Amino acid sequence: MIYPVSKQPTKVTIINDPIYGFITIPNGIVFDLIQHPYFQRLRRITQMGLSYLVYPGAHHTRFHHAVGCLHIMQKALKTLRDKGVVISKDEEEATLIAILLHDIGHGPFSHAMEHSIIEGVNHEQISIAFMEALNTEFNGSLTLALEIFTGKYSRKFLSQLVSGQLDMDRTDYLKRDSFYTGMAEGNINTDRIIAMLNVKEDQLVVEEKGIYTVEKFLVARRLMYWQVYLHKTGIVAEQLVTRVLKRAKELSHQGVSLYASSALRYFLQHKIDQNNFEEVLDIFSQLDDYDIISAMKEWCHEEDFVLRELSKAIIHRDLLTVKIRKKAFAKEKKQKHITVLKERYHITDKEAEYFVFTGTISNLGYNYTQGGIHILLSNGKLTDVVKASDQLSLKSLTKEVVKNYICYPKQKD
């Protein structure tokens, strides 16, 4: 179906956002994209997956985040224009489209889908697939937005606003996730960050007087990762969802008929990877959190021990025990828990490994090798924020921190 660009509505569209207050939606293609079923689907996908099992307030959606990003991108582009940076109307519209659609490829519970019923296709690739499909529907109107989104456009600062070490994506999700989780440590000064932005040598830069705001941004991001995004309960919950879907797909391939929506059933019964994903994009667009939750509620009563118990663990929030430390866990420790589980429930090693597993988590607070954050000094020179900062702690953020975890069922009496 071809979607024509809508006529300019006489009534301005305003969204009341708890973070920024009133957000004005631009007329034209941006409005039309928000109205599109592909985008409206984001209302039914939580921004933070199952983190609400840890932080009960974290029920905000990808829709909230995308619209928030659109709002602060509008402010960022206005700030740059006010400072003399020439940005055409086409570039402005394309950049707004790129940030609006940057997360459109997320599936139910985000990364759980990427590691279970879809093989080797991440949400960034899916976002591009959605944008390309929309570009066809909107008669090529997203071509420039795709170039900016993929970093192929000649004016690099526009791409850096969409995806970089200090982009509008991170600027919104830190402030928004901090608000909905109640973690004040993640609250950043969005207005101050935007006010300090500038462009030099085609690079997005921060004026020297904004250096302390950037320091706060980087520290807040580090704290949010370890206290929220990589919280041990959130980790085990996401791992359980991944394993539920893997088990459901395994059973479906064995001919077991499971309760599922038509879209979810398709992905359970077919092998989907990079070679054929674009063919099933419309079916993927019908999937959201409700498909997975409703299926797991029914799977709590399945005959299969693994699918039943994993589903119950999530639905009833009776999660696995998880231990985290720097040193890797010995194979013997994992095997000990597997043996206990096998003897207790008379299951196989393969079945027990759905409940007992190890893995790693990592966080790199600041990746200066991928563009970095450039500080524009008063003498006109550029330097990296780590060199410009008098905070020794910022240097430590450039080193990746890796931790190991082990998950296993709680001990029953």
Side-chain angles (χ1 to χ4, degrees), residues 266-380:
Y266 185 91
F267 280 90
L268 293 178
Q269 294 178 344
H270 297 82
K271 180 179 179 180
I272 308 299
D273 55 25
Q274 294 183 40
N275 297 321
N276 62 353
F277 181 81
E278 289 190 12
E279 300 170 14
V280 299
L281 186 65
D282 280 336
I283 302 175
F284 180 83
S285 73
Q286 298 169 37
L287 282 174
D288 54 50
D289 290 2
Y290 298 110
D291 294 82
I292 310 303
I293 290 292
S294 60
M296 288 193 297
K297 286 174 65 179
E298 291 297 320
W299 295 344
C300 287
H301 310 290
E302 276 295 324
E303 289 184 13
D304 181 72
F305 174 84
V306 174
L307 185 61
R308 181 179 71 245
E309 295 304 315
L310 289 176
S311 298
K312 286 166 65 176
I314 298 169
I315 295 299
H316 303 316
R317 201 193 178 279
D318 185 14
L319 306 175
L320 304 176
T321 295
V322 55
K323 302 290 185 184
I324 297 179
R325 70 184 190 189
K326 289 185 177 180
K327 186 179 178 182
F329 290 91
K331 292 181 180 179
E332 293 76 14
K333 187 173 182 65
K334 175 183 174 182
Q335 189 57 48
K336 176 184 175 182
H337 289 292
I338 288 176
T339 301
V340 169
L341 202 61
K342 284 173 58 182
E343 293 176 352
R344 182 185 301 158
Y345 296 108
H346 307 291
I347 57 178
T348 66
D349 276 83
K350 182 179 178 181
E351 291 171 326
E353 286 181 353
Y354 274 98
F355 300 89
V356 182
F357 48 88
T358 57
T360 61
I361 53 175
S362 63
N363 179 31
L364 181 59
Y366 173 58
N367 192 347
Y368 64 91
T369 63
Q370 292 186 357
I373 298 175
H374 298 290
I375 302 299
L376 178 62
L377 302 176
S378 55
N379 61 10

Side-chain angles (χ1 to χ4, degrees), residues 245-260:
L245 294 172
K246 279 184 176 179
R247 183 60 171 180
K249 186 155 191 169
E250 181 181 355
L251 293 172
S252 294
H253 284 195
Q254 293 173 5
V256 178
S257 179
L258 297 174
Y259 172 89

Side-chain angles (χ1 to χ4, degrees), residues 211-212 214-215 218 375 377 383-395:
I211 189 168
Y212 298 116
V214 176
E215 290 175 355
L218 291 173
I375 302 299
L377 302 176
T383 188
D384 190 271
V385 64
V386 173
K387 293 181 180 179
S389 172
D390 54 13
Q391 289 279 348
L392 295 176
S393 60
L394 283 196
K395 191 171 184 179

